[in-house]
Amino acid sequence: MRRVLVVTAVAAERDAVCATAGSCAAVTLPGGQELRRAAGLPVALDVLAAGVGPAAAAAGAATALTAAALAGQPYDLVVSAGIGGGFSPGAPLGSVVVAEAIVAADLGAETPDGFLPVTELGFGTVAHRPDPALVRTVAAAAGAVAGTVVTVSTVTGSAARAAELAERHPGVLAEAMEGFGVAEAAAAHGVPVLEVRAVSNAVGPRDRAAWRIGDALAALTGAFRTLPGALTAPTGPAPEPPPRSTSLTRGTPTSLRRTP
């Protein structure tokens, strides 16, 4: 049975994922974080609310991945999941996005000529690209759209910032705060990664009255109801690993992925 770790930011997102299962038992990780273990599914699904932001997400995911590996039960897939902002018109409220690329949007430096990603400075990476076949399979099953999801440490609150992100990242569909951190932890453990986001608000000027958090959480539950079937379908992605690295943006290598 495939073992899948799902990492969310907050408990409401975790509970939306757990709602796909008959029950979710609590398991305490080293350091005290609580993992929820779903029962009654064709895949072994563990769900962790790791905290808000890429650092908390990376730390929580790494803890869970390490604990599983030490127990001799490593995960086959890590999924960053939750609600997020959608870029109009590609990702309207209530829609679901599966990331073709998981990009750190603000990891770099401001210069007189504009923003430079950290890769342009000669360090690290700013993007992870999940296995394309897996993305297509999961998106088709969930009725989702596939595109770039950017990870930010500060949520966009203006039309100018939304336009800047859209110009810098062609094809961007959603914004969230944890995906890149989860992807970094998964890459360090050699485990494939996905990001699944349900859209609760439009990226741009903050208008809390227009947010649809309840609808987005319901859409997240619906998407995860389809995930076990997508992962176990005979027509699912082939087991061959993708190439070790490609170029998503100039000077930006992607991490090694192995298909679950």
Side-chain angles (χ1 to χ4, degrees):
M1 179 181 288
R2 291 186 178 183
R3 289 178 48 76
V4 180
L5 173 65
V6 181
V7 182
T8 71
V10 298
E13 295 166 324
R14 177 201 64 201
D15 294 345
V17 175
C18 280
T20 64
S23 62
C24 279
V27 178
T28 302
L29 293 173
Q33 284 186 307
E34 188 177 89
L35 190 76
R36 297 294 176 86
R37 183 154 290 162
L41 298 175
V43 298
L45 194 69
D46 290 351
V47 192
L48 174 67
V52 174
T63 298
L65 285 162
T66 300
L70 290 175
Q73 297 180 318
Y75 291 106
D76 302 298
L77 176 68
V78 183
V79 184
S80 176
I83 63 176
F87 285 83
S88 180
L93 299 188
S95 64
V96 175
V97 177
V98 179
E100 290 180 332
I102 302 169
V103 179
D106 49 16
L107 183 60
E110 291 290 346
T111 77
D113 297 321
F115 177 80
L116 283 180
V118 71
T119 49
E120 298 279 342
L121 305 174
F123 304 104
T125 184
V126 294
H128 294 273
R129 184 180 284 278
D131 176 63
L134 182 59
V135 170
R136 289 192 299 269
T137 298
V138 171
V145 290
T148 296
V149 178
V150 292
T151 299
V152 296
S153 294
T154 301
V155 172
T156 298
S158 69
R161 172 66 170 164
E164 177 191 349
L165 287 174
E167 181 179 2
R168 201 188 321 149
H169 304 286
V172 65
L173 289 179
E175 169 189 275
M177 301 181 75
E178 293 79 32
F180 186 77
V182 173
E184 286 281 275
H189 283 259
V191 179
V193 69
L194 285 176
E195 183 169 9
V196 178
R197 293 286 165 183
V199 177
S200 60
N201 58 280
V203 176
R206 288 174 66 81
D207 179 7
R208 292 294 296 268
W211 291 9
R212 298 292 180 266
I213 292 176
D215 292 342
L217 290 172
L220 188 65
T221 300
F224 271 85
R225 285 200 174 105
T226 71
L227 182 67
L231 295 179
T232 57
T235 55
E240 291 82 5
R244 290 185 64 86
S245 65
T246 58
S247 178
L248 176 64
T249 57
R250 189 178 64 219
T252 304
T254 57
S255 296
L256 173 65
R257 292 286 182 268
R258 60 179 176 83
T259 304

